[in-house]
Amino acid sequence: MCGICGWIDYRHDLGADEHVRTLAAMNDTMACRGPDQQGVWAQGPAALCHRRLAVIDIEGGRQPMSLDEGDAPGLHIVYSGETYNFRELREELAAAGHRFRTSSDTEVVLRAHREWGRRDPSAVARRLNGMFAYALWDSGTQELVLVRDRLGIKPLYYYPTPHGVLFGSEPKAILANAEADRTVDADGLRRALAFVSDPSNAVFRGMREVPPGCVVRIGRDGYREERYWQLTDTGHADDVDTTVGNVRELLEDTALRQLYADVPLCTLLSGGLDSSALTALAAKHVDGTVRSFAVDFAGYAENFVADDARGTPDTPFVHEVAEFVGTDHRDIVLQTEDMMDPAVRRAALHARDLPAGIGDMDSSLYLLFSAIRKESTVALSGESADEVFGGYRDFHDPETVAADTFPWLAGRMMNQDHHDPGLFDRSLWNTLDVPGYVEDQYRTALSEVPELTGKAADDPHERRMREICYLYLTRWLPVLLDRKDRMSMAVGLEVRVPFCDHRLVEYVFGTPWSQKTFDGREKSLLRHATKDLLPESVVQRVKSPYPSTQDAGYEKSLRDQVPSILSEGDDAPVAPLVDRAAVQRRLDSAATHEQNSMGSRMQLERIIDLNTWIRDYDIDLAV
């Protein structure tokens, strides 16, 4: 896992001395993603930069990596991620005559482009099983190719310029180049305030994400995006028993593939079905004892109060699984003051490059990963199982399913009413038209949903649940994957997500909803595929989301920070965006009525984080 960035400018020789400092500045922003090694390759109009977190072939996998052999034009690559089937591909390439200099997956991908991707780079991407984002420069065609994995596990941004392109694993790498400006206009602010993935809008004006499952080709005539993968209807015909068996087989294979590393590896254990099943599968396949880690908050289990989202604390289930499976387990216990530490909040915000508005869940994840990184370099996560198997309560709530919008905005998860500006200035809110933006995104997503075939096509509920599953996989899962990647790579920890194996996603997406819930519960296929590996209490446990502190002192500390922002008056960076009278009313109300609701906290966190973001990133607001 690494950080990549680069610059193509067809006017200049980027290998010239005057560009060295700019390239170094871009690469330095990726230092946290790659603390082990760094490198820059620059020649003619192209420059590729790399920061490396060494996981496979510690000595041989240095980048940028070049392939200059015989009369063929040179190929040059910077690569981030892991290709889990690289050993099989290596055998194919060796049989075709390739002679390898390293044992890294990067060289396999590089040679794969020489062998199979000369005319169509997508032909290589379709062969890869993994999480990856990479840039390949072809010295012969003078073309840059940007490639991103199918589900968007690894981030990749690009910024077209009049004479080429800037690209990077994170926006901060692009913003380090004077060719990019830091303007956030109305379109960007809409994207920042809506909890919906939109690769065409990376918040900063002119910046885009490489969409998941896509290749972007940049040449002298401009750029074009090409899709190499998308969810389709598979015409699923397997019965329930066969389906459960196939899910188990896929889980066994992907777990085994993703356990490969030349550095210490662990699992993230929450005591839920997803992470517990993954930990059990890991324990089954590794030599020795699996290490596992869990997040906890001081006093959380002892003072836990059940609510609509969380019926039980995680810790008792975590410890039961650790003992049942036999892991070497450690709880990472966090204090409220740790999460409110301004340095931690700023680090989490800078990791995401955006004011995400879910402060304690970002800062706690950042602190968890920081602690794990002291003892491990790679971690396996149960992220995405809820989206793949239908685990959220909103999947099973008739009112939420029937709502004509994104389910996480209508249901218990976020319960967002985008017609209500909350603490934001109403006239600004009306100008931004966030509800209209969300509506447009929703209709666009629905237009992409593959139609059902077979008997399920005649069932309106099956058709709606196909839409719900597609929305979660393509518009919500990328939000979570980005959060996971940014918080982990901010401390140099590689987090792998086996439930995002595209073969598993394709297979389960194709199953009818009646099979996904055949036992009358959420995640029926996953539960029955792994129940032999787990204690019965975990098999029967109801979904509980990532924990958020219930300490009332957390929201109080948020409220204590806001007056200092308001005291700056019009000089506060966030001043043009908020209704100061509404903010003051919220603070006055909280002083007399104790509040600790997710919605109340998120609004205060967003104000605080927006203020920090605009100031620290020197944002030019053009709204």
Side-chain angles (χ1 to χ4, degrees), residues 14-329:
L14 296 183
D17 290 345
E18 66 255 34
H19 303 299
V20 170
R21 292 182 64 181
T22 297
L23 294 172
M26 294 175 68
N27 208 23
D28 285 348
T29 67
M30 298 290 94
C32 59
R33 299 183 70 92
D36 297 329
Q37 297 164 1
Q38 63 176 310
V40 175
W41 175 90
Q43 187 179 91
L48 307 179
C49 309
H50 190 265
R51 296 291 307 225
R52 187 180 183 213
L53 175 65
V55 172
I56 294 174
D57 189 5
I58 308 301
E59 294 303 320
R62 294 176 181 271
Q63 299 184 48
M65 188 176 289
S66 298
L67 182 59
D68 291 297
E69 293 179 343
D71 297 330
L75 296 179
H76 313 274
I77 193 172
V78 281
Y79 176 92
S80 171
E82 305 292 348
T83 297
Y84 301 121
N85 64 333
F86 80 96
R87 285 167 288 186
E88 297 98 309
L89 295 175
R90 182 188 177 100
E91 290 179 3
E92 284 189 61
L93 290 165
H98 288 264
R99 298 294 175 262
F100 288 84
R101 303 188 302 266
T102 76
S103 57
S104 72
D105 56 344
T106 301
E107 186 181 2
V108 170
V109 175
L110 182 60
R111 290 183 176 277
H113 275 276
R114 173 74 81 211
E115 182 68 24
W116 300 310
R118 294 176 182 177
R119 295 184 179 179
D120 180 16
S122 294
V124 176
R126 285 190 288 269
R127 286 176 174 263
L128 305 182
N129 177 316
M131 55 177 189
F132 47 83
Y134 63 91
L136 180 91
W137 173 255
D138 187 322
S139 295
T141 62
Q142 298 280 285
E143 179 183 68
L144 180 75
V145 178
L146 302 176
V147 184
R148 193 177 183 194
D149 65 66
R150 295 167 178 83
L151 291 170
I153 304 169
K154 301 310 298 176
L156 187 55
Y157 295 81
Y158 71 105
Y159 185 100
T161 68
H163 304 285
V165 73
L166 304 168
F167 69 88
S169 295
E170 299 177 8
K172 59 174 67 70
I174 294 171
L175 296 174
N177 190 306
E179 292 279 317
D181 69 50
R182 295 168 178 263
T183 300
V184 174
D185 57 18
D187 285 338
L189 196 54
R190 288 186 195 101
R191 169 68 178 83
L193 297 176
F195 289 94
V196 179
S197 176
D198 176 11
S200 68
N201 182 345
V203 178
F204 298 96
R205 187 165 64 190
M207 193 182 297
R208 302 171 64 89
E209 289 183 55
V210 176
C214 284
V215 166
V216 180
R217 303 176 70 168
I218 298 105
R220 292 182 182 274
D221 297 330
Y223 71 92
R224 67 182 186 273
E225 294 181 354
E226 300 175 355
R227 179 164 293 281
Y228 70 86
W229 181 86
Q230 59 189 4
L231 290 166
T232 60
D233 182 79
T234 58
H236 189 83
D238 296 338
D239 61 22
V240 169
D241 288 343
T242 303
T243 301
V244 169
N246 286 338
V247 167
R248 175 60 174 266
E249 183 177 336
L250 285 166
L251 288 172
E252 294 272 7
D253 183 71
T254 190
L256 184 60
R257 288 178 183 275
Q258 297 196 27
L259 287 168
Y260 184 83
D262 294 331
V263 292
L265 179 146
C266 68
T267 67
L268 307 178
L269 180 60
S270 72
L273 178 62
D274 318 335
S275 65
S276 299
L278 185 59
T279 298
L281 286 166
K284 179 180 176 182
H285 290 293
V286 299
D287 294 327
T289 302
V290 170
R291 299 207 66 188
S292 60
F293 294 87
V295 66
D296 196 6
F297 303 104
Y300 185 80
E302 297 84 352
N303 303 302
F304 178 81
V305 177
D307 56 28
D308 286 344
R310 300 171 181 84
T312 53
D314 289 343
T315 302
F317 295 94
V318 166
H319 293 171
E320 185 177 7
V321 172
E323 182 177 357
F324 187 88
V325 174
T327 71
D328 177 8
H329 181 77

